[in-house]
Amino acid sequence: MFPAASSSPTATGPADTPLPPVRSPTDTVPHPRAPGPAAPPAKQRDAFFDNAKYLAIVLVALGHAWEPLKEGSRVLQAAYLCIYAFHMPAFIIISGYFSRSFDLRPDRLKRLVTGVVVPYIVFETAYALFQRIVDRGPAVPISLLDPWYLMWFLAALFVWRMITPLVKLVRYPLALAVALSMLASVSPEIGDDLDLQRVFQFLPFFVLGLSLKQEHFALVRRRSVRILSVPVFAAAFAVAWWASPRMNSGWFCRCDSAQELGAPWWTGPVMTLALLGCSLALTACFYAWVPGRTTWFTALGASTLYGYLLHGFLVKGAGYQGWYDAAWLHRPWGEAVVALLAAAVVTLLCTPPVRRVFRCVVEPRMDWAFRKDAVAAARERARA
């Protein structure tokens, strides 16, 4: 069935080519003290995305800190509208980009529970208890189905990641997401459960992040886009200054339908498309100015969830204690001081010491709560 092996030298090659020396079986066994194969290098984080997340979380804290002061200043109202037009879309697009590989594998579901569900439960309860202890007003009910204050983002992130495998099956996911966002803007019956208005109205940005590749981010980081972003930001501020006394800022929060904002139903889809275009343009301008090199704040970008979840206690606590009532805070230099304090505080909340203290509730391991994944264990043994 197989041809017989020849005993002549030419059976294995030319006659003048020496055969390899006979090796003892022990020659193939590595010495116990011999170094093994080098481990593959750890995947490095992209400094651009960490920088973008840090700068976005600073803008989030800035918007929350300015909110109690904006009514008395038209300039501050315009700055507030500009920030709210793109800071969460910029954050959500990156969240979608890093959710591209999410599926229903056990290890990824475990990270979803420990990194999203558990922090949501802990901080949703903590914020309600904090309000009851510090504030003198009516007590906020503890409800895991009705996210309070900034907790909506974790509820939305949970829903978005759970539907990610389905979104990746759809032929035109971004068009579908835009259609759902427009429908949500005219559907007051959606209610407040899991803040589904925001889930649907911000959905296009998450789906866009799922569809992007690294080269798409490189396109908006070109020098020409950086130069063009300056007049775009200036024009956006001018429009915001004009619109601030004429427009309900609730449109930018995307937590209500058109009817709930006191507008005709048909303005919902129109405003959805208009704000989508505005947000994408300003987000592209924001990305254009995000540095791609490693900076002093790059490492903080990996801990932005800590700054996001914790800074709300300080902002709400300042409001409960009446600190915003001070007259000097409602002047331009007082508003600048508040901005600097907000940036400094959220920066400190992203540092390693804070991370070590609150890791047990923001990034708990919880190995005791899950069964051993046989596939993951086999994969770890194979890597070892």
Side-chain angles (χ1 to χ4, degrees), residues 45-62 87 90-91 94 286-287 290-291 295-305 307-308 339-351:
R45 298 178 65 94
D46 192 324
F48 167 78
F49 293 106
D50 282 337
N51 293 337
K53 289 194 293 183
Y54 168 78
L55 295 174
I57 204 64
V58 169
L59 292 177
V60 169
L62 198 61
H87 74 312
F91 211 95
I94 293 178
F286 168 73
Y287 288 153
V290 172
T295 65
W296 64 267
F297 55 80
T298 300
L300 302 178
S303 308
T304 50
L305 185 58
Y308 181 81
L340 292 174
L341 284 175
V345 166
V346 79
T347 299
L348 290 174
L349 294 177
C350 295
T351 55

Side-chain angles (χ1 to χ4, degrees), residues 225-284:
V225 180
R226 192 177 299 116
I227 295 173
L228 182 62
S229 66
V230 176
V232 171
F233 271 126
F237 182 83
V239 172
W241 187 87
W242 174 85
S244 57
R246 300 175 173 85
M247 183 179 179
N248 190 335
S249 61
W251 288 108
F252 293 87
C253 297
R254 294 175 171 88
C255 55
D256 294 303
S257 64
Q259 297 92 320
E260 291 171 305
L261 293 173
W265 69 268
W266 56 267
T267 59
V270 173
M271 288 298 294
T272 298
L273 293 177
L275 289 176
L276 180 63
C278 176
S279 298
L280 290 178
L282 292 179
T283 299

